[in-house]
Amino acid sequence: MAESLLINFSLNYPGGSSVRVDNLRLAAENAMVTVLFGASGSGKTTFLRVLAGLALPDSGSVSFRGTVWFDGEAGLCLPPQDRNIGFVSQDYALFPHLTVSQNVGYGLSELPRIERNGRVRESLNWLGLEELAERRPAEISGGQQQRAALARAVARRPGLLLLDEPLSALDAPTRRRLRGELHALIERTGIPCLVVTHDPPEALALADEIVLMHEGRILQAGTPSEVFNHPASIEAAQILGIDTMVDGTVTSRDGAIVTVNAAGIRLTAVCHDPISVGCSAAVCIRAEDVMLSLPGSVHGSARNRLPGTVLNAVEEAGLTRIEIDCGFLLRATLTRQSCEELGIRVGTKIEAIIKAPNVHIIPR
């Protein structure tokens, strides 16, 4: 309990939209990263602003490590400066007329000069900004600005970091490069952190725990593997960008081994959830879980081996995204080298191989 963030609130907007979080408990251990994931407009930033004390809920309660931040019934709402948080906005909000060092020290005016200067140096050293201390924001790169904003947030030694789309202002190559770096920086600070993002690779790179949001509600929470590989609902699967979703009907079940008919194709899945024979279901398959081979060239234990024809092949960010007609539209991703070895092109006859644990079934 003492190391938890407990969240239960409702915030209503004029026009009928709302954000509501019911009795959510998030771990608040050192360097724990929780990602709020969902499409734009799903309520992620509102969630963060409520925690920061920048948005006032209509009802509910929020507490962190045993300290109540908000209690609607008691009329209690701690102001942001009393919550001991570090907040980094999407645009970093660095003061353009101040140097990096001055930006980092801006929130430390209450400290004696010697202690303040020590905190600034410590934060700059943590984040590798020593050589940029006297430069202004316009004189450093986007990634360096991100680190400067994070240094300013951690200089106050907060109990919790809140990062709102911290990489969204960067170009795609820089964003990819900085994902791993940001996680390392958070670990270095040792501060629990909530990060808002709508980018799946970013969520997977950063998260110890993921909270999936949609239309102001939480659809699912769990580890990245639990959420991305086992979406709890059709809506969750759609938001997570599951590459193949096809309607099916459960035809048999033997313990956790479930057989489903999808568009006339028999698929075997591993399912531990309660689902009965005759039940309608969505069959979900991630592109990276599909292996491809030339017909008859591979022998193995995989239960699902589907002959098909390549309909399309498009290169995306170093990988090739392939669409295959297997009786239904199946998507796969391969490296360029693998595509060349298999001779992948439109019209190529191919065999798609999918292990049963990688076929996820969601009852409709």
Side-chain angles (χ1 to χ4, degrees), residues 281-298:
V283 179
C284 304
I285 304 169
R286 300 191 68 85
E288 57 266 33
D289 291 331
V290 178
M291 297 176 286
L292 298 180
S293 71
L294 296 176
S297 63
V298 174

Side-chain angles (χ1 to χ4, degrees), residues 36 44-55 80-81 83-94 146 148-166 191-196:
L36 304 180
K44 306 184 302 297
T45 294
T46 297
F47 186 118
L48 216 63
R49 287 175 59 81
V50 166
L51 297 186
L54 301 174
Q81 62 270 23
R83 298 192 182 198
N84 191 26
I85 59 170
F87 187 87
V88 178
S89 62
Q90 294 183 28
D91 60 1
Y92 309 142
L94 297 171
Q146 177 221 58
L150 189 57
R152 182 175 61 185
V154 302
R156 297 180 61 250
R157 295 180 181 171
L160 182 68
L161 277 174
L162 305 176
L163 309 184
D164 189 5
E165 297 276 9
I191 301 170
C193 181
L194 265 73
V195 181
V196 162

Side-chain angles (χ1 to χ4, degrees), residues 155-228:
R156 297 180 61 250
R157 295 180 181 171
L160 182 68
L161 277 174
L162 305 176
L163 309 184
D164 189 5
E165 297 276 9
L167 303 180
S168 65
L170 306 177
D171 59 84
T174 303
R175 192 161 61 243
R176 287 194 295 269
R177 177 172 56 83
L178 290 179
R179 284 172 190 147
E181 181 178 330
L182 178 59
H183 192 278
L185 294 177
I186 294 170
E187 285 188 339
R188 196 176 307 162
T189 67
I191 301 170
C193 181
L194 265 73
V195 181
V196 162
T197 184
H198 65 275
D199 182 58
E202 188 173 310
L204 288 168
L206 295 175
D208 297 305
E209 186 172 21
I210 288 180
V211 176
L212 181 63
M213 296 193 69
H214 178 60
E215 295 184 349
R217 303 293 185 271
I218 292 175
L219 293 183
Q220 190 174 353
T223 66
S225 176
E226 290 168 347
V227 173
F228 275 86

Side-chain angles (χ1 to χ4, degrees), residues 3 20 28 38 93 96 110 136 140 152 154 166 202 206 221 231 235 253 256 297 318 331 333 340 343:
E3 293 297 307
R20 179 174 173 174
E110 75 283 359
R136 288 179 167 79
I140 61 178
R152 182 175 61 185
V154 302
E202 188 173 310
L206 295 175
E235 292 84 357
R253 176 160 197 163
S297 63
R331 295 180 175 89
T333 54
E340 291 175 353

Side-chain angles (χ1 to χ4, degrees), residues 1-7 24-35 51 62-67 69 83-85 158-162 186 189-194 208-209 211:
M1 177 72 73
E3 293 297 307
S4 294
L5 178 61
L6 305 177
I7 309 158
L24 178 66
R25 175 178 294 178
L26 300 178
E29 301 166 1
N30 288 346
M32 181 83 174
V33 180
T34 299
V35 168
L51 297 186
V62 178
S63 65
F64 177 65
R65 292 179 172 173
T67 299
W69 284 354
R83 298 192 182 198
N84 191 26
I85 59 170
L160 182 68
L161 277 174
L162 305 176
I186 294 170
T189 67
I191 301 170
C193 181
L194 265 73
D208 297 305
E209 186 172 21
V211 176

